[in-house]
Amino acid sequence: QRAKVQTHSLTTAVDILYTRQLQGSHCNFVAASQSLHSNTVVTVNGLNTCIRFSIPHKVMHPGFQQTQGKTTEAAEAFEKVYKSVPQSDIAPVALYDAGVLYEQDREWDKAIKTYALLYQKYPDSRYTFDALTRWGGIKERLKDYPVAAQVYEKAAEIAPDATLREETSYRALSMYEIGKDLNGFYTHYKKFRDKFPEDRRMLELTYRVAVSRESVKDIDGAKGLYERVVLIHKKSGADA
């Protein structure tokens, strides 16, 4: 099948060819091909999508990135790619890679803004779930646990499979506990319990929730949870 090619004009300082295997998880930088015209962005349908764009060549050298931390310029180049071809297959990939590079350079606000844009513009992209989990991870690192919980919950809603949905939901629930929002912890525990009653951590989780209810003098709530712990333990013993 013949590949479809689109070209878009760009102001180019140094031409670099960006190649990503759409079935892979990492991007590769290679020298610009002489077969491509200068000052263009080229999108090719298929497994490979190639884009030529402006970026200082020294930034592309891995050793320079590691020693100098100059990844922000590469991230900005990826954002330029997105803005140039927002309807192409490469657009969500470029946004995701931009966010990862901003994150590597500890540009937290820029990384979050990029991940949020990816979620807004391409909610069905295969990269959006990973973008949301990284966004939640940034908020967790910054100890903004309420927002981290909300972002993880969004990620759980679009998780590509049941296992990731369960794990991401548990991570969201944990944010309420770590952030000492005990009422939120209790509320979301019940939601988690209803969705994933067979979760392998349910006995321990229920016990932790019971302790938290006791700490806020919710005696009836704690009593009911402790009783549930006993029932789960008995059931697990019977199943064994």
Side-chain angles (χ1 to χ4, degrees), residues 47 52 58-59 85 126 130 134 148 159 161-162 182-184 189-190 195 209 216 222 230 239:
L47 292 182
R52 201 174 188 186
K58 63 180 181 178
V59 179
V85 283
R126 54 179 294 207
D130 288 340
R134 296 187 75 102
D161 60 57
L182 300 186
N183 288 330
Y189 156 76
K190 290 186 287 186
K195 288 183 179 179
V209 178
V216 295
V230 173
D239 291 342

Side-chain angles (χ1 to χ4, degrees), residues 2 18 28-29 34 50 54 57 81 109 112 136 143 161 178 193 197 199 201 208 210 226 228 230:
R2 195 170 186 177
Y18 165 68
N28 298 308
F29 297 101
Q34 294 182 354
C50 304
S54 171
H57 190 273
V81 170
D109 290 341
I112 288 171
K143 302 186 186 306
D161 60 57
I178 295 171
R193 184 186 68 198
D199 185 90
R201 297 153 292 199
R208 298 200 322 258
Y226 284 130
R228 183 177 288 273
V230 173

